Amino acid sequence: MFFEGCSNLWHRQKISKPSPIPETELQKLCWNSEGRARFEAAGERHLVTFFSEMLSAQTLWRLGIQIPMKGEEVIELDYVKRQAIWPGLKGNQLSRDKQFAAWQSLIEALSDFLSLSVKHEPQCHKKETSGVWSCTVLGTDRQYDVKLGDGQLLIEGQWGGDIFKLKASQLEEEQNYYQMVEVQQTTKQLTTPLAAKFFIKECRQTPQ
């Protein structure tokens, strides 16, 4: 009965709420979470479990993935410097690693998505198209279109001929965060997009 009452209250609140704005909706991206993830590249697909945590004071996002038959791998992303730190790879080994090179551009776009949604508030203005905003990453000239509505969030940008997207869906209305998040890069060099899709089972408070 308690959860049913909360659900009804949520629905009533949704009806009375004004149209969503990017600053509010971007904060529903949960970067401190755990669940399952799917990585797709060059026709290959890998299913893993993951945990992630946001270390805002260091402007770091830490992603740990549990790979079947291989164990755990941890990646730290400095979303201000737009650099990934792979503790398992050092120096020249890192620059030569094909897996890292393939994901480098997507890592840079993911850094922007993190910056847009964490403490570096974006500068946004509404476009003529209904429900579409143009947002600039603070301190840069990189702009992204942000589309809102019906429990969906889409961030899209383009540079160097490649298209970068973040698509998020709020699958359960009683949860005030997006339960499915996909980051995608479409490039002329690859027949299928690079994609990382996260199915979030638990969203935790961001550590101080």
mmCIF file of all heavy atoms in Angstrom, residues 58-95:
data_model
loop_
_atom_site.group_PDB
_atom_site.id
_atom_site.type_symbol
_atom_site.label_atom_id
_atom_site.label_comp_id
_atom_site.label_asym_id
_atom_site.label_seq_id
_atom_site.Cartn_x
_atom_site.Cartn_y
_atom_site.Cartn_z
ATOM 1 N N GLN A 58 37.639 15.090 -7.366
ATOM 2 C CA GLN A 58 38.772 14.859 -8.281
ATOM 3 C C GLN A 58 38.355 14.915 -9.741
ATOM 4 O O GLN A 58 39.155 14.619 -10.613
ATOM 5 C CB GLN A 58 39.417 13.494 -7.994
ATOM 6 C CG GLN A 58 39.987 13.362 -6.598
ATOM 7 C CD GLN A 58 39.080 12.565 -5.672
ATOM 8 O OE1 GLN A 58 37.889 12.815 -5.573
ATOM 9 N NE2 GLN A 58 39.649 11.587 -4.988
ATOM 10 N N THR A 59 37.100 15.257 -10.016
ATOM 11 C CA THR A 59 36.511 15.254 -11.361
ATOM 12 C C THR A 59 36.772 13.919 -12.060
ATOM 13 O O THR A 59 37.104 13.868 -13.235
ATOM 14 C CB THR A 59 37.029 16.424 -12.219
ATOM 15 O OG1 THR A 59 38.435 16.296 -12.473
ATOM 16 C CG2 THR A 59 36.735 17.756 -11.565
ATOM 17 N N LEU A 60 36.592 12.826 -11.310
ATOM 18 C CA LEU A 60 36.804 11.484 -11.839
ATOM 19 C C LEU A 60 35.514 10.680 -11.802
ATOM 20 O O LEU A 60 34.719 10.792 -10.864
ATOM 21 C CB LEU A 60 37.855 10.724 -11.022
ATOM 22 C CG LEU A 60 39.324 11.107 -11.170
ATOM 23 C CD1 LEU A 60 40.169 10.255 -10.238
ATOM 24 C CD2 LEU A 60 39.802 10.951 -12.609
ATOM 25 N N TRP A 61 35.308 9.872 -12.855
ATOM 26 C CA TRP A 61 34.261 8.862 -12.851
ATOM 27 C C TRP A 61 34.950 7.512 -12.976
ATOM 28 O O TRP A 61 35.717 7.287 -13.914
ATOM 29 C CB TRP A 61 33.298 9.071 -14.013
ATOM 30 C CG TRP A 61 32.164 8.083 -14.038
ATOM 31 C CD1 TRP A 61 31.241 7.873 -13.061
ATOM 32 C CD2 TRP A 61 31.832 7.170 -15.097
ATOM 33 N NE1 TRP A 61 30.344 6.893 -13.439
ATOM 34 C CE2 TRP A 61 30.693 6.456 -14.685
ATOM 35 C CE3 TRP A 61 32.392 6.909 -16.340
ATOM 36 C CZ2 TRP A 61 30.099 5.474 -15.483
ATOM 37 C CZ3 TRP A 61 31.809 5.939 -17.137
ATOM 38 C CH2 TRP A 61 30.664 5.224 -16.709
ATOM 39 N N ARG A 62 34.702 6.632 -12.028
ATOM 40 C CA ARG A 62 35.353 5.320 -11.987
ATOM 41 C C ARG A 62 34.359 4.251 -12.404
ATOM 42 O O ARG A 62 33.266 4.142 -11.846
ATOM 43 C CB ARG A 62 35.891 5.047 -10.589
ATOM 44 C CG ARG A 62 36.618 3.717 -10.446
ATOM 45 C CD ARG A 62 37.143 3.558 -9.035
ATOM 46 N NE ARG A 62 38.187 4.539 -8.766
ATOM 47 C CZ ARG A 62 38.440 5.029 -7.548
ATOM 48 N NH1 ARG A 62 37.701 4.667 -6.521
ATOM 49 N NH2 ARG A 62 39.420 5.904 -7.381
ATOM 50 N N LEU A 63 34.750 3.445 -13.376
ATOM 51 C CA LEU A 63 33.910 2.362 -13.889
ATOM 52 C C LEU A 63 34.643 1.045 -13.720
ATOM 53 O O LEU A 63 35.756 0.869 -14.237
ATOM 54 C CB LEU A 63 33.581 2.589 -15.370
ATOM 55 C CG LEU A 63 32.835 1.459 -16.089
ATOM 56 C CD1 LEU A 63 31.426 1.291 -15.530
ATOM 57 C CD2 LEU A 63 32.781 1.726 -17.599
ATOM 58 N N GLY A 64 34.041 0.140 -12.990
ATOM 59 C CA GLY A 64 34.586 -1.204 -12.841
ATOM 60 C C GLY A 64 33.695 -2.199 -13.545
ATOM 61 O O GLY A 64 32.471 -2.172 -13.381
ATOM 62 N N ILE A 65 34.279 -3.043 -14.358
ATOM 63 C CA ILE A 65 33.499 -4.057 -15.079
ATOM 64 C C ILE A 65 34.048 -5.445 -14.761
ATOM 65 O O ILE A 65 35.260 -5.643 -14.668
ATOM 66 C CB ILE A 65 33.497 -3.813 -16.606
ATOM 67 C CG1 ILE A 65 34.924 -3.737 -17.169
ATOM 68 C CG2 ILE A 65 32.732 -2.560 -16.942
ATOM 69 C CD1 ILE A 65 34.978 -3.584 -18.665
ATOM 70 N N GLN A 66 33.139 -6.369 -14.567
ATOM 71 C CA GLN A 66 33.486 -7.754 -14.274
ATOM 72 C C GLN A 66 33.320 -8.553 -15.556
ATOM 73 O O GLN A 66 32.203 -8.760 -16.044
ATOM 74 C CB GLN A 66 32.592 -8.316 -13.165
ATOM 75 C CG GLN A 66 33.031 -9.663 -12.627
ATOM 76 C CD GLN A 66 34.309 -9.563 -11.808
ATOM 77 O OE1 GLN A 66 34.548 -8.561 -11.160
ATOM 78 N NE2 GLN A 66 35.125 -10.612 -11.839
ATOM 79 N N ILE A 67 34.458 -8.972 -16.134
ATOM 80 C CA ILE A 67 34.455 -9.660 -17.432
ATOM 81 C C ILE A 67 34.513 -11.167 -17.200
ATOM 82 O O ILE A 67 35.433 -11.649 -16.528
ATOM 83 C CB ILE A 67 35.654 -9.216 -18.289
ATOM 84 C CG1 ILE A 67 35.665 -7.682 -18.411
ATOM 85 C CG2 ILE A 67 35.608 -9.867 -19.661
ATOM 86 C CD1 ILE A 67 36.895 -7.138 -19.088
ATOM 87 N N PRO A 68 33.546 -11.928 -17.733
ATOM 88 C CA PRO A 68 33.565 -13.380 -17.546
ATOM 89 C C PRO A 68 34.883 -13.994 -18.022
ATOM 90 O O PRO A 68 35.394 -13.650 -19.084
ATOM 91 C CB PRO A 68 32.387 -13.857 -18.416
ATOM 92 C CG PRO A 68 31.473 -12.677 -18.489
ATOM 93 C CD PRO A 68 32.367 -11.470 -18.485
ATOM 94 N N MET A 69 35.460 -14.865 -17.220
ATOM 95 C CA MET A 69 36.696 -15.595 -17.522
ATOM 96 C C MET A 69 37.947 -14.699 -17.515
ATOM 97 O O MET A 69 39.044 -15.187 -17.714
ATOM 98 C CB MET A 69 36.603 -16.294 -18.891
ATOM 99 C CG MET A 69 35.389 -17.175 -19.076
ATOM 100 S SD MET A 69 35.301 -18.515 -17.849
ATOM 101 C CE MET A 69 36.711 -19.498 -18.367
ATOM 102 N N LYS A 70 37.792 -13.399 -17.275
ATOM 103 C CA LYS A 70 38.951 -12.508 -17.264
ATOM 104 C C LYS A 70 39.116 -11.764 -15.950
ATOM 105 O O LYS A 70 40.212 -11.322 -15.619
ATOM 106 C CB LYS A 70 38.841 -11.495 -18.415
ATOM 107 C CG LYS A 70 39.009 -12.094 -19.793
ATOM 108 C CD LYS A 70 39.031 -11.004 -20.852
ATOM 109 C CE LYS A 70 39.235 -11.595 -22.238
ATOM 110 N NZ LYS A 70 39.272 -10.526 -23.279
ATOM 111 N N GLY A 71 38.045 -11.589 -15.220
ATOM 112 C CA GLY A 71 38.141 -10.870 -13.964
ATOM 113 C C GLY A 71 37.690 -9.423 -14.093
ATOM 114 O O GLY A 71 36.989 -9.057 -15.028
ATOM 115 N N GLU A 72 38.147 -8.602 -13.163
ATOM 116 C CA GLU A 72 37.688 -7.224 -13.092
ATOM 117 C C GLU A 72 38.666 -6.267 -13.754
ATOM 118 O O GLU A 72 39.879 -6.424 -13.660
ATOM 119 C CB GLU A 72 37.491 -6.814 -11.628
ATOM 120 C CG GLU A 72 36.935 -5.417 -11.444
ATOM 121 C CD GLU A 72 36.706 -5.069 -9.990
ATOM 122 O OE1 GLU A 72 35.626 -5.423 -9.465
ATOM 123 O OE2 GLU A 72 37.610 -4.471 -9.385
ATOM 124 N N GLU A 73 38.134 -5.260 -14.425
ATOM 125 C CA GLU A 73 38.935 -4.200 -14.996
ATOM 126 C C GLU A 73 38.316 -2.863 -14.574
ATOM 127 O O GLU A 73 37.103 -2.704 -14.566
ATOM 128 C CB GLU A 73 38.967 -4.292 -16.521
ATOM 129 C CG GLU A 73 39.885 -3.267 -17.166
ATOM 130 C CD GLU A 73 40.142 -3.571 -18.642
ATOM 131 O OE1 GLU A 73 39.740 -4.640 -19.113
ATOM 132 O OE2 GLU A 73 40.755 -2.713 -19.300
ATOM 133 N N VAL A 74 39.177 -1.915 -14.195
ATOM 134 C CA VAL A 74 38.722 -0.621 -13.716
ATOM 135 C C VAL A 74 39.255 0.474 -14.629
ATOM 136 O O VAL A 74 40.441 0.476 -14.994
ATOM 137 C CB VAL A 74 39.182 -0.362 -12.264
ATOM 138 C CG1 VAL A 74 38.743 1.037 -11.803
ATOM 139 C CG2 VAL A 74 38.615 -1.422 -11.331
ATOM 140 N N ILE A 75 38.377 1.390 -15.003
ATOM 141 C CA ILE A 75 38.742 2.537 -15.830
ATOM 142 C C ILE A 75 38.356 3.797 -15.064
ATOM 143 O O ILE A 75 37.245 3.886 -14.527
ATOM 144 C CB ILE A 75 38.007 2.519 -17.188
ATOM 145 C CG1 ILE A 75 38.284 1.212 -17.931
ATOM 146 C CG2 ILE A 75 38.421 3.718 -18.050
ATOM 147 C CD1 ILE A 75 37.367 0.977 -19.113
ATOM 148 N N GLU A 76 39.256 4.757 -15.008
ATOM 149 C CA GLU A 76 38.959 6.050 -14.389
ATOM 150 C C GLU A 76 38.970 7.119 -15.466
ATOM 151 O O GLU A 76 39.913 7.221 -16.237
ATOM 152 C CB GLU A 76 39.983 6.380 -13.298
ATOM 153 C CG GLU A 76 39.889 5.458 -12.096
ATOM 154 C CD GLU A 76 40.874 5.833 -11.012
ATOM 155 O OE1 GLU A 76 41.780 6.652 -11.284
ATOM 156 O OE2 GLU A 76 40.757 5.314 -9.890
ATOM 157 N N LEU A 77 37.914 7.911 -15.498
ATOM 158 C CA LEU A 77 37.770 8.938 -16.525
ATOM 159 C C LEU A 77 37.790 10.322 -15.885
ATOM 160 O O LEU A 77 36.924 10.648 -15.067
ATOM 161 C CB LEU A 77 36.463 8.728 -17.293
ATOM 162 C CG LEU A 77 36.097 9.773 -18.352
ATOM 163 C CD1 LEU A 77 37.180 9.876 -19.403
ATOM 164 C CD2 LEU A 77 34.765 9.425 -19.003
ATOM 165 N N ASP A 78 38.807 11.114 -16.238
ATOM 166 C CA ASP A 78 38.850 12.514 -15.809
ATOM 167 C C ASP A 78 38.028 13.299 -16.816
ATOM 168 O O ASP A 78 38.463 13.547 -17.942
ATOM 169 C CB ASP A 78 40.302 13.011 -15.777
ATOM 170 C CG ASP A 78 40.421 14.422 -15.203
ATOM 171 O OD1 ASP A 78 39.539 15.251 -15.486
ATOM 172 O OD2 ASP A 78 41.407 14.684 -14.495
ATOM 173 N N TYR A 79 36.817 13.700 -16.418
ATOM 174 C CA TYR A 79 35.895 14.280 -17.384
ATOM 175 C C TYR A 79 36.159 15.754 -17.663
ATOM 176 O O TYR A 79 35.540 16.316 -18.563
ATOM 177 C CB TYR A 79 34.440 14.051 -16.966
ATOM 178 C CG TYR A 79 34.069 14.510 -15.580
ATOM 179 C CD1 TYR A 79 33.687 15.820 -15.337
ATOM 180 C CD2 TYR A 79 34.080 13.618 -14.527
ATOM 181 C CE1 TYR A 79 33.331 16.233 -14.064
ATOM 182 C CE2 TYR A 79 33.728 14.020 -13.248
ATOM 183 C CZ TYR A 79 33.350 15.330 -13.023
ATOM 184 O OH TYR A 79 33.007 15.726 -11.758
ATOM 185 N N VAL A 80 37.067 16.383 -16.931
ATOM 186 C CA VAL A 80 37.477 17.744 -17.249
ATOM 187 C C VAL A 80 38.633 17.717 -18.251
ATOM 188 O O VAL A 80 38.636 18.440 -19.257
ATOM 189 C CB VAL A 80 37.866 18.522 -15.977
ATOM 190 C CG1 VAL A 80 38.485 19.878 -16.333
ATOM 191 C CG2 VAL A 80 36.638 18.737 -15.103
ATOM 192 N N LYS A 81 39.615 16.846 -18.002
ATOM 193 C CA LYS A 81 40.747 16.716 -18.926
ATOM 194 C C LYS A 81 40.400 15.859 -20.138
ATOM 195 O O LYS A 81 41.162 15.808 -21.094
ATOM 196 C CB LYS A 81 41.948 16.109 -18.202
ATOM 197 C CG LYS A 81 42.510 16.986 -17.101
ATOM 198 C CD LYS A 81 43.708 16.321 -16.447
ATOM 199 C CE LYS A 81 44.290 17.199 -15.342
ATOM 200 N NZ LYS A 81 45.435 16.540 -14.669
ATOM 201 N N ARG A 82 39.253 15.151 -20.069
ATOM 202 C CA ARG A 82 38.806 14.256 -21.150
ATOM 203 C C ARG A 82 39.838 13.156 -21.388
ATOM 204 O O ARG A 82 40.184 12.833 -22.516
ATOM 205 C CB ARG A 82 38.526 15.038 -22.439
ATOM 206 C CG ARG A 82 37.523 16.159 -22.280
ATOM 207 C CD ARG A 82 37.359 16.961 -23.541
ATOM 208 N NE ARG A 82 36.312 16.414 -24.389
ATOM 209 C CZ ARG A 82 36.359 16.399 -25.712
ATOM 210 N NH1 ARG A 82 37.433 16.849 -26.328
ATOM 211 N NH2 ARG A 82 35.354 15.924 -26.408
ATOM 212 N N GLN A 83 40.326 12.571 -20.317
ATOM 213 C CA GLN A 83 41.339 11.519 -20.382
ATOM 214 C C GLN A 83 40.890 10.319 -19.569
ATOM 215 O O GLN A 83 40.322 10.469 -18.491
ATOM 216 C CB GLN A 83 42.685 12.020 -19.842
ATOM 217 C CG GLN A 83 43.335 13.104 -20.673
ATOM 218 C CD GLN A 83 44.635 13.591 -20.067
ATOM 219 O OE1 GLN A 83 44.985 13.247 -18.937
ATOM 220 N NE2 GLN A 83 45.369 14.395 -20.810
ATOM 221 N N ALA A 84 41.178 9.135 -20.101
ATOM 222 C CA ALA A 84 40.875 7.896 -19.396
ATOM 223 C C ALA A 84 42.151 7.315 -18.810
ATOM 224 O O ALA A 84 43.211 7.360 -19.429
ATOM 225 C CB ALA A 84 40.230 6.887 -20.336
ATOM 226 N N ILE A 85 42.041 6.799 -17.604
ATOM 227 C CA ILE A 85 43.168 6.152 -16.931
ATOM 228 C C ILE A 85 42.825 4.686 -16.788
ATOM 229 O O ILE A 85 41.849 4.329 -16.122
ATOM 230 C CB ILE A 85 43.406 6.787 -15.544
ATOM 231 C CG1 ILE A 85 43.624 8.300 -15.669
ATOM 232 C CG2 ILE A 85 44.591 6.133 -14.841
ATOM 233 C CD1 ILE A 85 43.535 9.037 -14.364
ATOM 234 N N TRP A 86 43.623 3.848 -17.416
ATOM 235 C CA TRP A 86 43.438 2.408 -17.319
ATOM 236 C C TRP A 86 44.573 1.857 -16.461
ATOM 237 O O TRP A 86 45.690 1.671 -16.966
ATOM 238 C CB TRP A 86 43.457 1.753 -18.695
ATOM 239 C CG TRP A 86 42.283 2.089 -19.573
ATOM 240 C CD1 TRP A 86 41.542 3.224 -19.554
ATOM 241 C CD2 TRP A 86 41.723 1.271 -20.596
ATOM 242 N NE1 TRP A 86 40.553 3.183 -20.490
ATOM 243 C CE2 TRP A 86 40.643 1.995 -21.157
ATOM 244 C CE3 TRP A 86 42.034 0.013 -21.093
ATOM 245 C CZ2 TRP A 86 39.865 1.484 -22.190
ATOM 246 C CZ3 TRP A 86 41.262 -0.504 -22.131
ATOM 247 C CH2 TRP A 86 40.189 0.218 -22.665
ATOM 248 N N PRO A 87 44.343 1.592 -15.183
ATOM 249 C CA PRO A 87 45.424 1.121 -14.319
ATOM 250 C C PRO A 87 46.126 -0.134 -14.833
ATOM 251 O O PRO A 87 47.305 -0.348 -14.560
ATOM 252 C CB PRO A 87 44.708 0.853 -12.986
ATOM 253 C CG PRO A 87 43.535 1.771 -13.006
ATOM 254 C CD PRO A 87 43.098 1.799 -14.440
ATOM 255 N N GLY A 88 45.410 -0.951 -15.610
ATOM 256 C CA GLY A 88 46.017 -2.179 -16.125
ATOM 257 C C GLY A 88 46.947 -1.964 -17.304
ATOM 258 O O GLY A 88 47.654 -2.874 -17.713
ATOM 259 N N LEU A 89 46.937 -0.749 -17.890
ATOM 260 C CA LEU A 89 47.784 -0.446 -19.039
ATOM 261 C C LEU A 89 48.626 0.777 -18.716
ATOM 262 O O LEU A 89 48.129 1.773 -18.221
ATOM 263 C CB LEU A 89 46.931 -0.175 -20.279
ATOM 264 C CG LEU A 89 46.065 -1.324 -20.790
ATOM 265 C CD1 LEU A 89 45.195 -0.843 -21.939
ATOM 266 C CD2 LEU A 89 46.928 -2.488 -21.246
ATOM 267 N N LYS A 90 49.911 0.720 -19.025
ATOM 268 C CA LYS A 90 50.829 1.799 -18.699
ATOM 269 C C LYS A 90 51.592 2.260 -19.931
ATOM 270 O O LYS A 90 51.948 1.465 -20.799
ATOM 271 C CB LYS A 90 51.840 1.347 -17.624
ATOM 272 C CG LYS A 90 51.205 0.831 -16.342
ATOM 273 C CD LYS A 90 50.480 1.931 -15.579
ATOM 274 C CE LYS A 90 49.923 1.417 -14.258
ATOM 275 N NZ LYS A 90 49.186 2.441 -13.504
ATOM 276 N N GLY A 91 51.853 3.571 -19.984
ATOM 277 C CA GLY A 91 52.771 4.147 -20.964
ATOM 278 C C GLY A 91 52.500 3.745 -22.393
ATOM 279 O O GLY A 91 51.380 3.856 -22.892
ATOM 280 N N ASN A 92 53.543 3.262 -23.078
ATOM 281 C CA ASN A 92 53.436 2.887 -24.489
ATOM 282 C C ASN A 92 52.437 1.763 -24.706
ATOM 283 O O ASN A 92 51.805 1.676 -25.755
ATOM 284 C CB ASN A 92 54.805 2.467 -25.027
ATOM 285 C CG ASN A 92 55.773 3.628 -25.095
ATOM 286 O OD1 ASN A 92 55.362 4.778 -25.206
ATOM 287 N ND2 ASN A 92 57.060 3.331 -24.997
ATOM 288 N N GLN A 93 52.302 0.903 -23.708
ATOM 289 C CA GLN A 93 51.331 -0.188 -23.816
ATOM 290 C C GLN A 93 49.927 0.367 -23.988
ATOM 291 O O GLN A 93 49.132 -0.156 -24.768
ATOM 292 C CB GLN A 93 51.400 -1.068 -22.563
ATOM 293 C CG GLN A 93 50.426 -2.253 -22.597
ATOM 294 C CD GLN A 93 50.413 -3.012 -21.295
ATOM 295 O OE1 GLN A 93 51.044 -2.601 -20.323
ATOM 296 N NE2 GLN A 93 49.689 -4.115 -21.259
ATOM 297 N N LEU A 94 49.629 1.465 -23.283
ATOM 298 C CA LEU A 94 48.314 2.087 -23.379
ATOM 299 C C LEU A 94 48.073 2.656 -24.760
ATOM 300 O O LEU A 94 47.016 2.465 -25.363
ATOM 301 C CB LEU A 94 48.191 3.192 -22.322
ATOM 302 C CG LEU A 94 46.880 3.975 -22.296
ATOM 303 C CD1 LEU A 94 45.717 3.045 -21.979
ATOM 304 C CD2 LEU A 94 46.952 5.099 -21.278
ATOM 305 N N SER A 95 49.062 3.382 -25.324
ATOM 306 C CA SER A 95 48.882 4.017 -26.623
ATOM 307 C C SER A 95 48.776 2.994 -27.741
ATOM 308 O O SER A 95 48.200 3.269 -28.783
ATOM 309 C CB SER A 95 50.051 4.979 -26.898
ATOM 310 O OG SER A 95 51.274 4.268 -26.949
#
